[in-house]
Amino acid sequence: MRGSKPGQNVERTDWTYMDTCSTKPFLTQREKLRALMFSREGQWIPLPDVQALGIAQHGARFKELRSELEPQGYRIENKMEHGTDGIVRSWYMLTRSTPIRSLSAGKPSKSWDEIVRERDEKLNAAPCFELVP
């Protein structure tokens, strides 16, 4: 390092650490992208902010991140704008997309009055069986 004498140990303090208990001194490109997306969750992030992280092939990193986060209920959206100057501008946004887990998934919900009416119809209906002695 500049300013150090041969044989002198110099400690680097300008590293980007993942966390204090990690054995890896640097973040991977996907980890950097994940940190950016979560730090600005719900906000559109312009592509130059992603490129500022020094990520090569950001499209591949987004694909990896989507595969990792979608099962956890997150979604990465992308929008593009074609400017009058011929430049295409891109933005990305991380949002929560809660997966539908109920038994009534896809069915329209009923009002309380409809539920009560259906219950009463079932209770007041004549039995569809006959007891024979």
Side-chain angles (χ1 to χ4, degrees), residues 33-44:
L33 185 57
R34 181 188 309 112
L36 174 65
M37 298 304 289
F38 275 102
S39 72
R40 293 166 60 183
E41 184 178 344
Q43 301 172 22
W44 287 107

Side-chain angles (χ1 to χ4, degrees), residues 1-117:
M1 271 187 113
R2 191 171 33 140
S4 63
K5 295 178 185 172
Q8 189 179 31
N9 291 334
V10 177
E11 183 179 333
R12 288 192 60 163
T13 57
D14 61 340
W15 298 1
T16 304
Y17 286 101
M18 191 167 103
D19 56 39
T20 55
C21 62
S22 174
T23 57
K24 297 187 317 182
F26 298 103
L27 296 174
T28 65
Q29 292 180 353
R30 182 172 41 181
E31 291 166 340
K32 288 179 185 179
L33 185 57
R34 181 188 309 112
L36 174 65
M37 298 304 289
F38 275 102
S39 72
R40 293 166 60 183
E41 184 178 344
Q43 301 172 22
W44 287 107
I45 301 170
L47 182 57
D49 289 5
V50 174
Q51 292 170 328
L53 297 174
I55 294 177
Q57 298 181 340
H58 64 274
R61 302 297 82 81
F62 272 114
K63 183 178 180 183
E64 293 170 357
L65 203 53
R66 282 182 175 116
S67 297
E68 175 187 330
L69 295 177
E70 283 181 3
Q72 299 174 25
Y74 291 96
R75 180 177 172 177
I76 297 176
E77 299 180 33
N78 174 237
K79 74 175 180 178
M80 296 172 58
E81 176 185 283
H82 297 269
T84 56
D85 54 3
I87 297 175
V88 179
R89 293 169 179 86
S90 297
W91 290 268
Y92 295 89
M93 180 170 54
L94 177 70
T95 58
R96 294 177 192 257
S97 61
T98 308
I100 300 172
R101 293 192 175 114
S102 69
L103 294 174
S104 61
K107 297 179 184 176
S109 58
K110 298 177 184 178
S111 69
W112 180 249
D113 292 333
E114 290 174 310
I115 293 170
V116 170
R117 183 178 43 77

Side-chain angles (χ1 to χ4, degrees), residues 113-125:
D113 292 333
E114 290 174 310
I115 293 170
V116 170
R117 183 178 43 77
E118 288 177 7
R119 182 200 62 197
D120 291 343
E121 286 174 0
K122 289 178 183 175
L123 290 174
N124 295 331

